[in-house]
Amino acid sequence: MANEEPVKAESKFEAASKGQSSSLVGDTVGFLKNNKKWWLLPIITTLLLISVLLLLSGTVVAPFIYTLF
């Protein structure tokens, strides 16, 4: 028993690396909550809506999108 090494406490980084990985949406929401960056939410929402419109503009849905504007 005298030859045993002391047990090292696991660092937060090592504990997090063994945990379940989260999604991009979960990480973003966690960042907004932890850092109180709620002003980023309208910017992110607007960028997502514009990207959805751009993706749909190349499909059959395009004539219906153009009637909105």
Side-chain angles (χ1 to χ4, degrees), residues 4-68:
E4 290 183 18
E5 293 181 26
V7 178
K8 295 181 181 179
E10 203 172 64
S11 70
K12 290 182 183 181
F13 180 76
E14 290 171 345
S17 69
K18 293 178 183 176
Q20 182 179 1
S21 64
S22 60
S23 66
L24 178 65
V25 175
D27 284 343
T28 304
V29 171
F31 171 78
L32 292 173
K33 281 178 20 179
N34 290 336
N35 294 315
K36 308 283 193 250
K37 301 286 185 185
W38 294 113
W39 56 270
L40 285 173
L41 198 58
I43 297 170
I44 293 170
T45 305
T46 304
L47 288 174
L48 286 175
L49 287 174
I50 290 172
S51 64
V52 167
L53 283 175
L54 286 173
L55 288 174
L56 291 177
S57 68
T59 63
V60 180
V61 184
F64 301 109
I65 293 173
Y66 293 131
T67 60
L68 296 175

